[in-house]
Amino acid sequence: MSTSFNWFARLVDAGAKPVAGVRVEAQLFYLFSNAWVSAGPATSGANGELRGKGVIADDTVPLAPALRLVESGGVVVLSSNPRVSRRARSALLNVDFGELTRLPDAARFVQPRAATRGIPDDPFVVGGVVRAAEGGLQAAEAATLKAEIAKEVAGQFAARLSDSAKALTDRDVELAAQRKALAEREAALADVSLKLAKSEAALVNLRTEAAAAGPRLSAAEDGVSETSIGVGDLATKLGTELVGAQTALKSSGFSLGSVTVNARGLMQGDGSRLNLLNTVDLKSLPPGVLSDVKIDLNPDRPPAVGVALVAPDVRQLTETAARRVLASVGLMLEASFGPPGLGTNVAEGQAMLQTPEPGTGMARGGRVLVVFARSSGA
């Protein structure tokens, strides 16, 4: 099959004046012959206009053909990018090359063209610009182009190196900060461990001092020696030490959980004091004589300084009732548990002892340590 086409163009000079008498031709590129073939010559008129006709012998490819407009002889290419349209009611094509500026020979300059495989390297001019028949750049232009490319590549490489160096520096700074934070945390943990060790040493000293200063029992005939200490004093001392350790831990991002202390000795008087025995005396006692005192502590931050309050009397109340009463006046409950013998006239689950004592001034948010009755099997 074949398709006919009309082509149009207009030639003007650098001053936009019509150029007459220039013979040009439209050319088609055929893939089968791998060559440009003339398809309709024409000569520009007085107004510079060009009109011609041609035929596409083989239009089996459903795309617009490669078309160009050249001066006679095929050396100067005036245009290679026309507008192609098709009439709605016919197969005729309209090829419009538009208005073209034709430069004089003296104003033309050499421009390279990338080699196309299979297309002869014939000399041509695009828009009135002549291409050298040898192909490629002149030596000076090629050297300049190479220098510019090398400069651009070197600049890009230097910029990437700079970005990489900056990223490495930033990462080193971040790692140094992380190492510093880790060292500070380890130092804080070591400080907390030291404070805990001091607290344990203080507890040992407390037992030693109590053993040195406490009176002997009157039952000397049993050959048993012991020291006496108040259960409330023991709980208060332990609570104070644990609160100090908790404060140090929380400043480093750690926290103590609940702590349980078991003490075994002989109860004295109304059960408010405990006689602590040495190891030798403990071995000589008959079974069932010793009493167990269990103190559960849950340390937290020390109370904040605030408005002075008065500790209410929560003795003989249950844990729930005591907590509610203390909360109503702005205080918190620190619950501990001991054998019912520590208090008088109390039932299982009722408060036996409290510290500070009822009526003691306290800051809002302060904690009241209360020992509730609990049998050893509970």
Side-chain angles (χ1 to χ4, degrees):
M1 295 179 65
S2 62
T3 301
S4 300
F5 66 91
N6 295 329
W7 63 268
F8 313 93
R10 184 170 183 267
L11 291 182
V12 296
D13 58 16
K17 295 181 180 180
V19 178
V22 179
R23 185 171 178 77
V24 300
E25 63 182 24
Q27 293 184 347
L28 288 166
F29 185 80
Y30 282 94
L31 293 175
F32 295 106
S33 61
N34 196 28
W36 290 95
V37 178
S38 177
T43 302
S44 62
N47 58 357
E49 291 184 356
L50 290 160
R51 293 178 180 271
K53 296 181 179 181
V55 176
I56 302 173
D58 184 1
D59 60 358
T60 56
V61 179
L63 300 172
L67 288 162
R68 70 179 184 180
L69 193 65
V70 301
E71 291 190 20
S72 293
V75 176
V76 179
V77 178
L78 298 174
S79 175
S80 60
N81 188 26
R83 294 184 58 187
V84 181
S85 60
R86 188 168 189 167
R87 294 183 180 180
R89 297 183 180 181
S90 70
L92 186 66
L93 299 179
N94 289 328
V95 181
D96 188 359
F97 289 96
E99 187 175 275
L100 308 175
T101 300
R102 184 177 183 274
L103 300 178
D105 294 341
R108 296 170 181 172
F109 60 91
V110 176
Q111 174 167 315
R113 182 186 69 176
T116 303
R117 180 179 298 175
I119 300 178
D121 191 15
D122 55 334
F124 68 96
V125 174
V126 178
V129 179
V130 180
R131 179 190 181 280
E134 300 82 4
L137 295 171
Q138 297 294 338
E141 294 176 344
T144 302
L145 180 60
K146 289 180 180 179
E148 291 177 353
I149 293 175
K151 182 179 179 181
E152 181 180 358
V153 172
Q156 293 177 353
F157 186 69
R160 290 181 180 178
L161 283 179
S162 177
D163 293 341
S164 298
K166 184 178 182 301
L168 288 175
T169 301
D170 293 343
R171 182 157 187 175
D172 289 341
V173 172
E174 183 180 356
L175 287 175
Q178 291 178 355
R179 291 192 188 100
K180 181 181 178 182
L182 181 60
E184 291 176 351
R185 189 164 185 175
E186 289 177 350
L189 183 60
D191 184 60
V192 170
S193 299
L194 180 61
K195 289 182 178 180
L196 285 175
K198 289 181 178 180
S199 298
E200 292 176 356
L203 181 59
V204 172
N205 291 335
L206 178 63
R207 290 175 177 173
T208 303
E209 292 174 0
R216 296 288 181 177
L217 285 176
S218 57
E221 62 278 6
D222 294 334
V224 178
S225 61
E226 69 282 332
T227 57
S228 176
I229 183 172
V231 176
D233 295 337
L234 177 61
T236 301
K237 181 64 176 178
L238 291 175
T240 302
E241 295 293 337
L242 288 176
V243 167
Q246 179 76 319
T247 301
L249 279 172
K250 286 196 173 182
S251 65
S252 303
F254 297 93
S255 179
L256 283 175
S258 59
V259 177
T260 300
V261 178
N262 290 309
R264 172 170 286 189
L266 293 173
M267 301 304 300
Q268 183 181 15
D270 58 357
S272 61
R273 300 188 67 82
L274 182 67
N275 295 317
L276 302 176
L277 308 178
N278 57 39
T279 305
V280 177
D281 293 337
L282 285 174
K283 293 180 180 180
S284 63
L285 289 177
V289 175
L290 297 178
S291 298
D292 291 326
V293 176
K294 182 179 179 182
I295 301 176
D296 296 323
L297 301 172
N298 188 9
D300 202 346
R301 294 183 182 274
V305 178
V307 180
L309 302 172
V310 176
D313 188 356
V314 297
R315 288 173 297 186
Q316 295 186 342
L317 297 180
T318 63
E319 182 180 353
T320 302
R323 191 181 303 277
R324 184 168 56 251
V325 170
L326 292 173
S328 67
V329 297
L331 298 176
M332 301 180 69
L333 172 66
E334 186 76 31
S336 297
F337 302 92
L342 295 179
T344 58
N345 299 325
V346 293
E348 183 81 11
Q350 289 182 334
M352 300 180 292
L353 302 172
Q354 76 173 74
T355 181
E357 294 290 333
T360 303
M362 297 184 64
R364 180 173 297 278
R367 292 180 176 274
V368 177
L369 177 63
V370 180
V371 180
F372 293 90
R374 176 185 290 178
S375 62
S376 58

